[in-house]
Amino acid sequence: MVEMTSVIVLFFLILDPLGNLPIFMSILKHLDAKRRRIIVIREMIIALVIMMIFLFTGEQILGFLNLRTETVSISGGIILFLIAIKMIFPSAESSSVSGLPVGEEPFLVPMAIPLVAGPSILASLMLMSHQYPNRLGYLAIALLIAWALSAIILMMSDLFLRILGEKGVNALERLMGLILVMISTQMFLDGIRTYLQG
């Protein structure tokens, strides 16, 4: 039987809301506070829907598309790497980390995918559903609780933005970009290694 608490903690750690917080702040810093909250809620709901789909039908979807699990990891690593480069070396033109013009709202990419519903959580959900096919309800509840905790933390981006100010967020953005380069590279290499082993 799946231990609910341990699964919740596992999902929460993989979702990594604290790691995503600086990126969310950077992407949304040009929008007003009310709009930021709406976008965070919308993107989190989209991410939840995607994660639930992967929990219940992930293996079938990849099989239908003739894709391997490591494809998710490799493609997610590439997207995150491109985001990280924009964070470390912002272009002279006024564009945000998301690649959109300043003030334009991100949709689906990169917030919902791959920052929240990233390769790690999607692969974990498929693995757990494969290991515990009769406990999908418990897994769904555990995912929902972990997602709710993550959403609460990410909703606090307004508070952090007020405390740090725009210069503080810019500094944090570059620091997070360096870390994100390493995370995305590891994600990419993990996918390559799994592919070569397969």
Side-chain angles (χ1 to χ4, degrees), residues 22-27 29 87 157 160-175:
I23 309 173
F24 269 52
M25 286 193 300
S26 176
I27 293 172
K29 66 184 176 183
M87 292 173 72
S157 61
F160 284 91
L161 189 57
R162 284 197 298 271
I163 293 172
L164 294 173
E166 189 164 340
K167 287 186 178 179
V169 171
N170 287 338
L172 194 60
E173 179 182 324
R174 284 171 171 77
L175 176 62

Side-chain angles (χ1 to χ4, degrees), residues 119-141:
S120 298
I121 189 67
L122 296 181
S124 298
L125 290 170
M126 286 190 291
L127 179 63
M128 296 286 276
S129 65
H130 181 73
Q131 289 178 331
Y132 306 102
N134 299 322
R135 300 289 178 180
L136 292 182
Y138 288 101
L139 292 173
I141 294 170

Side-chain angles (χ1 to χ4, degrees), residues 17-89:
L18 294 175
N20 285 333
L21 190 57
I23 309 173
F24 269 52
M25 286 193 300
S26 176
I27 293 172
L28 301 175
K29 66 184 176 183
H30 299 293
L31 302 171
D32 63 85
K34 183 179 179 182
R35 194 62 199 163
R36 280 197 297 267
R37 284 192 297 271
I38 292 172
I39 292 172
V40 169
I41 292 170
R42 182 191 69 200
E43 297 299 303
M44 289 300 291
I45 290 173
I46 291 172
L48 178 64
V49 171
I50 292 167
M51 289 186 292
M52 286 294 184
I53 290 172
F54 265 79
L55 175 62
F56 288 99
T57 64
E59 284 188 279
Q60 291 89 333
I61 290 173
L62 292 180
F64 177 76
L65 296 175
N66 199 26
L67 296 174
R68 296 168 61 165
T69 308
E70 53 269 25
T71 305
V72 182
S73 181
I74 294 172
S75 58
I78 293 171
I79 292 172
L80 287 183
F81 183 81
L82 294 174
I83 294 168
I85 293 300
K86 286 179 178 289
M87 292 173 72
I88 300 170
F89 305 108

Side-chain angles (χ1 to χ4, degrees), residues 134-161:
N134 299 322
R135 300 289 178 180
L136 292 182
Y138 288 101
L139 292 173
I141 294 170
L143 176 61
L144 190 59
I145 294 171
W147 170 86
L149 294 172
S150 299
I152 290 169
I153 291 173
L154 292 171
M155 288 290 289
M156 294 172 64
S157 61
D158 288 344
L159 175 63
F160 284 91
L161 189 57

